[in-house]
Amino acid sequence: MSRTAVVLSAEAGSVSVLPVSKLECASCSASCGNRQESVSVSNPKGFPLKAGDVVFIEPKRRRQALEALFSLLFPFISAIAGYFVAGPFASHFDGRSADGIRALFVLLFLFVSSGLVLIVTRFLPHAGRIEIVGKGEGAR
């Protein structure tokens, strides 16, 4: 899904854009919920850009697919690992509540891995995640 953005600066290897929900928001100085922070994007198609140009940006599709696989498979595999890791711990309890210990480890591994996925995909910046896919009419 592409979004509209306004180019703030376009230099030799770096393009800084301001994502906007409406073109009117690009020149607005109010601090409402529609105003966002500027981001650095890549220009793989080599569009000639200058400050004030309207562009369409979207995350790289391959990156989105890898993040989706990571977000789904990592917690699933971790939960399976939790089941097998619980075996040695359950043996210390002489077979009493072994199933409960396994369930606890599965849930623990699932929640910890889901938290790691959240941290990796939301809070750590990924350089080059967003690229310019099209160019529109000037906003200024």
Side-chain angles (χ1 to χ4, degrees):
M1 180 177 103
S2 55
R3 294 189 54 191
T4 305
V6 176
V7 176
L8 296 177
S9 67
E11 297 165 4
S14 136
V15 179
S16 179
V17 298
L18 178 67
V20 292
S21 55
K22 301 178 202 168
L23 289 180
E24 296 83 29
C25 295
S27 60
C28 180
S29 61
S31 58
C32 68
N34 292 335
R35 184 87 172 161
Q36 297 191 12
E37 293 185 28
S38 65
V39 293
S40 293
V41 297
S42 62
N43 186 8
K45 296 182 181 176
F47 292 112
L49 300 172
K50 62 183 183 308
D53 285 346
V54 175
V55 294
F56 302 105
I57 58 173
E58 69 180 28
K60 291 183 179 181
R61 294 187 192 279
R62 185 173 188 195
R63 182 68 176 206
Q64 282 182 311
L66 289 175
E67 282 186 5
L69 283 174
F70 175 72
S71 298
L72 293 173
L73 292 180
F74 183 64
F76 180 72
I77 291 170
S78 295
I80 293 170
Y83 178 82
F84 290 109
V85 168
F89 288 99
S91 65
H92 293 339
F93 293 99
D94 300 327
R96 292 175 292 163
S97 69
D99 289 337
I101 291 171
R102 285 186 186 228
L104 177 70
F105 270 74
V106 166
L107 289 174
L108 179 68
F109 276 55
L110 180 66
F111 287 128
V112 168
S113 63
S114 296
L116 287 173
V117 165
L118 180 69
I119 289 169
V120 168
T121 59
R122 299 287 181 242
F123 299 122
L124 295 178
H126 301 290
R129 256 174 74 170
I130 302 172
E131 61 185 17
I132 297 173
V133 294
K135 185 175 175 186
E137 296 297 318
R140 295 182 186 163

